[in-house]
Amino acid sequence: FASSLGGVEVECFAMPTGIVMSFVGPDGRIHSIMRRVGARTLNFERITLIEGLSRDLYSGRLDYEGAATALDGIERLAERPLAVSLLAAAAGTGFFTLFFGGAWNDALVSALIGAFLSLLVRYLARRRISDFFTNLAGGAFLALVSLAAARLGLASSADLTIIGAAMYLVPGVAITNAIRDTISGALVAGVACRFF
């Protein structure tokens, strides 16, 4: 964005907990900004829209005012409907259970756990509970329900049900970004991504 708007020597350092950016403006002065990141979410729709916005800005199809308006619209995008989130969590955890060798009844129990786990994570995120405690509570919830389902005969394997349901809590994108950052030489960002 900064280079598209006349900034030169643009430097940006981004981590999950904060962003630092500096550039030399058209007036020849160095401008710096630092922002702390409080709440983190992952929304691929917003990422795609911002990428398209940056391309339009770079090609000159969009000016500063248009970019500011578009960014405001992207920021106000509504979350996905609750039903979509529940269905995605149920499908993901159920199919992971099948992938790891679980039976259909294990997959159905895991899918049900995944849907309720999605509700739990959403509830804790709105209360600004840290990711550590969210994963701790989610792991305890899914383990207890899986063990109870196995004891009641609803699931054949508590282990496979737990593994499938636990995949909901695995930060796949964060791990991928951490490996990519570490390989590219951004060691601090790579190490920080592993813990968030």
Side-chain angles (χ1 to χ4, degrees):
F1 284 121
S3 59
S4 303
L5 297 171
V8 293
E9 296 180 30
V10 179
E11 297 288 340
C12 182
F13 181 68
M15 293 185 304
T17 55
I19 298 172
V20 180
M21 182 177 174
S22 68
F23 61 93
V24 178
D27 56 358
R29 297 175 59 195
I30 297 175
H31 301 273
S32 297
I33 188 167
M34 180 173 61
R35 290 287 184 261
R36 179 168 169 71
V37 176
R40 292 177 299 277
T41 60
L42 185 62
N43 187 324
F44 287 116
E45 183 180 7
R46 284 184 179 167
I47 292 171
T48 303
L49 291 172
I50 289 174
E51 185 180 16
L53 175 65
S54 66
R55 290 177 197 269
D56 289 344
L57 193 59
Y58 185 75
S59 67
R61 291 191 297 262
L62 200 60
D63 61 355
Y64 177 78
E65 287 79 17
T69 304
L71 272 176
D72 187 50
I74 292 170
E75 187 177 357
R76 293 171 192 251
L77 275 178
E79 288 184 17
R80 287 190 171 69
L82 180 62
V84 173
S85 295
L86 295 178
L87 184 61
T93 54
F95 283 117
F96 265 117
T97 301
L98 291 174
F99 177 76
F100 290 124
W104 279 101
N105 59 332
D106 298 331
L108 290 174
V109 170
S110 184
L112 189 61
I113 292 169
F116 280 106
L117 196 57
S118 173
L119 287 173
L120 177 66
V121 168
R122 183 181 280 226
Y123 173 80
L124 294 176
R126 286 195 178 140
R127 301 294 181 274
R128 299 211 179 234
I129 305 297
S130 75
D131 291 344
F132 175 80
F133 290 110
T134 298
N135 288 335
L136 186 67
F141 168 76
L142 70 90
L144 290 173
V145 174
S146 297
L147 291 170
R151 183 162 293 245
L152 294 172
L154 300 173
S156 341
S157 170
D159 294 343
L160 294 174
T161 306
I162 289 170
I163 291 170
M167 293 306 292
Y168 182 82
L169 299 174
V170 173
V173 174
I175 291 171
T176 304
N177 286 340
I179 293 169
R180 185 198 65 206
D181 288 342
T182 303
I183 289 172
S184 69
L187 301 179
V188 175
V191 170
C193 282
R194 290 180 190 152
F195 296 108
F196 293 98

